[in-house]
Amino acid sequence: MKYKKDYDVVVAGGGIAGVAAAIEASRNGMKTALVEKTVFTGGLATTGLIYVYLPLCDGCGTQVTFGLSEELLRASIIYGPGDIPKGWENGVKGPAGTRFLVRFSPASFIIALDEILVNAGIDVWFDTLVVGTVMKGQQITGIEVENKSGRGIISAKCLVDATGDADLAFQAGAPCVETDNWLSTWAIMASSEAAKKAVKNGNAKDLLSFFIIGGDNVGRGAPEAGKKYLGTDSKNVSEFILKSRELLTNDLKKLYAKEGKEKRNDYYPLTLASMPQLRTTRRIDGLSTMKDDGHPKKISDSVGLVADWRKRGVVWEVPYSSILPKKVKGLVTAGRCISNERDAWEVMRVIPAAALTGQVAGLSAALAVKNKTNPDALAVEDIQSALKSKGIPLHMENV
Ligand SMILES: Cc1cc2nc3c(=O)[nH]c(=O)nc-3n(C[C@H](O)[C@H](O)[C@H](O)COP(=O)(O)OP(=O)(O)OC[C@H]3O[C@@H](n4cnc5c(N)ncnc54)[C@H](O)[C@@H]3O)c2cc1C
């Protein structure tokens, strides 16, 4: 190995969950590193061009998700464009008919995240791929990474797996579960129509012309008899990327055939995702698993609330044990690779939930380091009281 660095907390994966975990760990006094294989933070939300920060409210006028999830939602539009929906400017209570969500420019969100990470004093390792785990028996003590400096070890007293694919948990030997995905593409287009609208409204936010094609979360719009793709098989991932981009190419060809070749000067792709747009790949089979019947249960080890983005009035409590892997010590997970299945995975794999579980994971890692223990040995009441002191409600009766 060419180098070895030591931290209190290392977060692998700089998506929304990883960013939230690193911020929370650092704000709790931990020497923290965030390791990200691309050159951007935000993961699917930014690199993947998934530009909708889904709601923090229940759809009936009550905010249910708070803390870093709200801080990051507000940060996503600091450098424009977009506004907090009317009535939700101060959060907590808002109009029942409007949801507390935003659409953001991925590039604007990235530069806002840069600023937050630097201000929080986090040591960011961009362009650094996690290639393995360092183990002492069942205890994970670090990660093996590869970057321009060669191969090295980054050690920590506690680690957070926010890779979206449970890479650390899997490599460390924790039981995991996989699922597959429909083809789809989200892109940003340039068009004279958007430009005209922007000029007419005197507002450049209309230049952000988003485009979605292919299967939605339940497969509507997916090519007929379409194959489904895994996110953990490299050939499968490459095929997914090519085939999903082909959906866009075919759509453009159809449009040019209908409206003439000159249309290519009037409407074309401006930005494509630079990570595969896979919704669910691999997640841990954790100490507990959120299941379809999780709502409307009161959960004793709840660490926060997440609204069902698909329905009004449906709110889920999130169990602390669902972010803890089986078998591996010194590791906590965050974001779309925590333990939940089917309907619960659908609710928990989105941006506001990733930010919430990231914050909980960062807090848990910090408390574990302070108490010289592992996240699974912490008293959940200690985590809950720290979250409550940050204004994060734990149960539905608290909002
Ligand atoms: C097509 C599609 C539509 C969606 N629609 C919405 C929507 O409208 N609204 C919404 O809120 N959510 C939506 N989602 C879900 C949401 O975008 C993501 O699930 C959420 O952002 C996940 O965040 P995360 O931090 O858990 O994981 P990710 O965003 O996947 O972040 C993981 C990070 O880890 C890095 N990484 C991975 N492996 C390694 C490694 N080995 N070494 C170093 N770094 C690594 C990645 O580069 C990435 O930055 C959608 C997802 C898809 C695919």
Side-chain angles (χ1 to χ4, degrees):
M1 293 296 160
K2 293 215 164 135
Y3 50 93
K4 185 173 179 304
K5 300 277 179 188
D6 298 302
Y7 294 90
D8 293 320
V9 174
V10 167
V11 180
I16 296 302
V19 164
I23 296 169
E24 185 63 27
S26 188
R27 286 182 185 168
N28 277 274
M30 296 293 109
K31 185 183 173 199
T32 305
L34 178 64
V35 181
E36 166 56 43
K37 70 177 175 182
T38 69
V39 298
F40 299 128
T41 51
L44 274 168
T46 57
T47 328
L49 302 185
I50 305 298
Y51 57 88
V52 188
Y53 204 121
L54 282 169
L56 304 180
C57 73
D58 64 355
C60 304
T62 301
Q63 181 177 348
V64 299
T65 311
F66 290 80
L68 277 173
S69 197
E70 179 176 354
E71 187 177 330
L72 295 181
L73 178 143
R74 293 183 185 278
S76 71
I77 54 169
I78 288 178
Y79 295 107
D83 299 294
I84 302 290
K86 283 221 172 341
W88 282 110
E89 293 85 348
N90 302 315
V92 186
K93 290 286 173 194
T98 315
R99 294 200 83 165
F100 186 4
L101 58 76
V102 292
R103 287 179 174 73
F104 55 84
S105 152
S108 302
F109 198 2
I110 288 168
I111 57 171
L113 291 177
D114 284 350
E115 205 165 48
I116 295 174
L117 292 168
V118 170
N119 288 341
I122 294 158
D123 205 1
V124 184
W125 291 65
F126 279 129
D127 200 18
T128 300
L129 180 69
V130 179
V131 292
T133 48
V134 183
M135 305 294 296
K136 203 170 171 190
Q138 286 191 313
Q139 185 85 25
I140 180 168
T141 59
I143 47 177
E144 214 176 303
V145 297
E146 175 105 30
N147 57 23
K148 284 286 176 197
S149 308
R151 200 167 269 220
I153 301 282
I154 305 182
S155 300
K157 295 174 187 144
C158 192
L159 288 98
V160 179
D161 184 344
T163 58
D165 305 324
D167 282 3
L168 261 60
F170 178 73
Q171 288 174 26
C176 291
V177 173
E178 293 191 40
T179 189
D180 43 21
N181 291 262
W182 310 101
L183 277 184
S184 64
T185 288
W186 290 38
I188 301 179
M189 311 298 281
S191 71
S192 64
E193 197 188 320
K196 277 183 212 148
K197 205 167 155 197
V199 171
K200 186 169 162 242
N201 296 336
N203 194 334
K205 82 174 175 206
D206 292 313
L207 288 176
L208 258 187
S209 174
F210 294 113
F211 172 90
I212 300 177
I213 194 167
D216 66 5
N217 56 312
V218 291
R220 281 176 302 226
E224 263 179 54
K227 179 177 159 183
K228 288 174 87 184
Y229 294 84
L230 282 174
T232 51
D233 173 305
S234 133
K235 284 312 289 175
N236 235 237
V237 172
S238 303
E239 191 184 332
F240 174 90
I241 292 168
L242 285 172
K243 291 276 180 198
S244 58
R245 289 209 284 253
E246 200 178 290
L247 295 178
L248 171 60
T249 319
N250 289 342
D251 195 68
L252 288 172
K253 281 181 184 156
K254 250 193 253 163
L255 180 72
Y256 301 160
K258 191 169 153 215
E259 299 204 14
K261 250 192 175 161
E262 272 317 297
K263 188 68 188 170
R264 46 178 274 290
N265 283 322
D266 190 41
Y267 182 71
Y268 56 86
L270 196 62
T271 313
L272 297 176
S274 44
M275 71 180 273
Q277 293 167 321
L278 295 155
R279 289 179 168 87
T280 45
T281 56
R282 180 172 54 211
R283 50 111 176 142
I284 57 159
D285 172 16
L287 291 188
S288 81
T289 298
M290 289 178 75
K291 294 186 191 291
D292 290 0
D293 62 354
H295 160 80
K297 271 190 193 156
K298 179 165 179 177
I299 292 175
S300 60
D301 69 337
S302 174
V303 282
L305 302 175
V306 169
D308 190 328
W309 55 277
R310 306 158 304 172
K311 303 169 196 160
R312 290 181 189 274
V314 177
V315 179
W316 295 60
E317 298 193 0
V318 183
Y320 175 58
S321 40
S322 68
I323 69 172
L324 298 171
K326 288 177 183 153
K327 284 192 181 167
V328 181
K329 303 284 176 195
L331 182 68
V332 61
T333 65
R336 67 189 168 95
C337 59
I338 71 165
S339 194
N340 35 53
E341 59 183 31
R342 294 161 29 133
D343 220 31
W345 204 350
E346 212 33 48
V347 174
M348 288 304 299
R349 68 172 178 80
V350 297
I351 298 170
L356 173 73
T357 56
Q359 179 165 17
V360 175
L363 176 66
S364 155
L367 290 178
V369 172
K370 279 184 194 165
N371 293 314
K372 295 192 169 50
T373 187
N374 287 318
D376 62 346
L378 288 169
V380 72
E381 295 76 18
D382 290 346
I383 299 171
Q384 289 173 321
S385 78
L387 289 167
K388 273 198 260 178
S389 73
K390 291 167 194 286
I392 296 177
L394 306 178
H395 300 291
M396 280 171 289
E397 70 219 26
N398 303 138
V399 292

